Amino acid sequence: MSQVQSEPSTHNNLRPAFMTPQKLLPVEKCSLGCPILDCCMGGGIPCNSITEIVAESGSGKTQLCLQLSLRAQLPPFLGGLSASSLYLYTEFPFPTRRLHQLSSSLQCQYPQIFASNYDPCDSIFLQSVNTADQLLDIMPQVESFLENSKTRLPVRVIVIDSMAALFRAEFENTASDLIRRSSLFFKISGKLKEFAKRFNLVVLVTNQVMDVVDSGEGVNEVRIGNLSGMYSSGRRVCPALGLSWANCVNSRLFLSKDEYESGLVGGGESGFLSRETRRRLHVVFAPHLPDLSCEFVIRREGVVGVNR
């Protein structure tokens, strides 16, 4: 057996071990199940960090959360994490029917992975959350669940859908409430980042948008990330929860949707213009991604990117 020959110890060999940029970047990712979306995301949603999806209602935020929670159960060679998910939902009712629909499609796509007597929905653990204080209060139970769960697959995905709903009506625009709200932001995100690094988790949260009403240089005019402005359904919008929350997430994605006239249907006086909804995913900011975007559609089998 050969032995490693050590070089003589000299002053020149004592060099500080600098960390390379590559070591700072999240390595393991969970695929979204579509090559176009994964390409836009640099391979999928990264572990060890918080990824936020910002969009107006009906844009596809929850669809992506459900899709990720299911596909996380696939083995790594198929883009998954061989993992269960903890899904904390704040919008009611929970879309059970859509989850089962996506689950059935995944089972049909990978019959060799999911046996006939195994339902992927059984590896998604649901918990309703009504207030921001409740979310913070259950963090010890979440930690215990991550440490001691006897689940079929280890829990390596946490979804919070949506964060904005927890702060929508509970806080007023007063100095004391804004300070308390910011404090909750940092406490909640701090625990989530701790869990993400300690357990090598994907943490995915959703956020809503507000219409931009300021025409001057107000807080809504502050540029954060790649986009000089966010537009959806013909309106200029900005992420809810403000600048304090923006500093709590590692990556932000924006889903936009707009209607276009796709052509004339029928002929003569009875004809009418058909309208088509186009959706697009934008990378607003991420430490490991350039300025990218791609178009996507929502189908029965899930969210998929399209090339036009």
Side-chain angles (χ1 to χ4, degrees):
M1 183 171 64
S2 61
Q3 294 181 340
V4 177
Q5 301 294 325
S6 60
E7 295 181 1
S9 178
T10 66
H11 178 73
N12 291 334
N13 291 99
L14 301 178
R15 297 173 181 171
F18 292 110
M19 183 171 287
T20 62
Q22 287 75 16
K23 291 183 179 179
L24 293 172
L25 299 179
V27 176
E28 197 170 8
K29 300 180 179 70
C30 185
S31 169
L32 292 170
C34 168
I36 296 174
L37 295 178
D38 283 346
C39 181
C40 189
M41 284 298 302
I45 305 296
C47 297
N48 302 328
S49 66
I50 300 176
T51 301
E52 177 195 49
I53 301 177
V54 176
E56 66 173 304
S57 177
S59 297
K61 301 188 299 294
T62 297
Q63 304 268 351
L64 284 172
C65 290
L66 297 175
Q67 188 162 310
L68 182 82
S69 299
L70 288 166
R71 299 196 71 90
Q73 300 172 41
L74 294 173
F77 72 88
L78 290 175
L81 300 172
S82 294
S84 301
S85 302
L86 175 61
Y87 201 113
L88 308 176
Y89 63 98
T90 65
E91 304 275 8
F92 303 91
F94 179 80
T96 305
R97 181 177 177 182
R98 179 56 172 159
L99 175 61
H100 284 286
Q101 190 177 62
L102 292 173
S103 175
S104 297
S105 296
L106 189 66
Q107 287 175 285
C108 292
Q109 188 177 0
Y110 298 102
Q112 73 279 16
I113 302 296
F114 300 104
S116 58
N117 60 345
Y118 173 67
D119 185 354
C121 295
D122 293 338
S123 289
I124 299 177
F125 301 94
L126 305 178
Q127 173 65 53
S128 62
V129 182
N130 297 294
T131 66
D133 287 312
Q134 182 190 358
L135 178 58
L136 185 60
D137 289 343
I138 67 171
M139 285 299 166
Q141 290 98 302
V142 171
E143 183 175 14
S144 178
F145 183 63
L146 294 171
E147 287 179 329
N148 307 310
S149 64
K150 301 296 189 292
T151 57
R152 176 179 173 272
L153 298 171
V155 179
R156 292 191 54 202
V157 175
I158 294 179
V159 173
I160 302 178
D161 184 21
S162 75
M163 188 65 71
L166 297 175
F167 294 89
R168 187 162 44 201
E170 188 177 347
F171 296 87
E172 296 182 3
N173 196 27
T174 63
S176 59
D177 267 15
L178 290 175
I179 292 173
R180 178 169 166 260
R181 190 178 80 153
S182 294
S183 176
L184 281 170
F185 286 163
F186 293 119
K187 288 178 181 177
I188 292 170
S189 64
K191 293 302 292 184
L192 292 173
K193 287 178 180 178
E194 176 190 329
F195 296 158
K197 294 184 182 299
R198 182 177 165 193
F199 300 102
N200 196 25
L201 306 179
V202 167
V203 178
L204 183 63
V205 303
T206 66
N207 191 5
Q208 298 164 0
V209 297
M210 307 181 300
D211 288 346
V212 173
V213 294
D214 293 342
S215 57
E217 294 184 356
V219 66
N220 290 339
E221 299 295 322
V222 177
R223 174 171 177 167
I224 303 174
N226 299 321
L227 304 181
S228 58
M230 296 181 177
Y231 296 87
S232 187
S233 296
R235 313 184 326 269
R236 186 171 186 184
V237 298
C238 67
L241 304 182
L243 188 58
S244 294
W245 174 250
N247 288 313
C248 292
V249 301
N250 301 103
S251 305
R252 170 172 282 173
L253 310 176
F254 170 55
L255 308 183
S256 63
K257 67 174 184 177
D258 290 287
E259 285 193 351
Y260 297 87
E261 294 180 355
S262 58
L264 186 65
V265 177
E269 296 181 356
S270 61
F272 62 92
L273 285 174
S274 174
R275 301 189 67 84
E276 171 186 3
T277 299
R278 290 190 180 178
R279 294 177 168 85
R280 198 163 191 87
L281 181 150
H282 309 260
V283 176
V284 181
F285 62 80
H288 59 295
L289 293 174
D291 180 6
L292 294 171
S293 69
C294 67
E295 190 172 341
F296 68 93
V297 294
I298 300 174
R299 296 175 179 162
R300 179 182 177 86
E301 63 271 19
V303 180
V304 294
V306 293
N307 287 318
R308 291 186 187 270

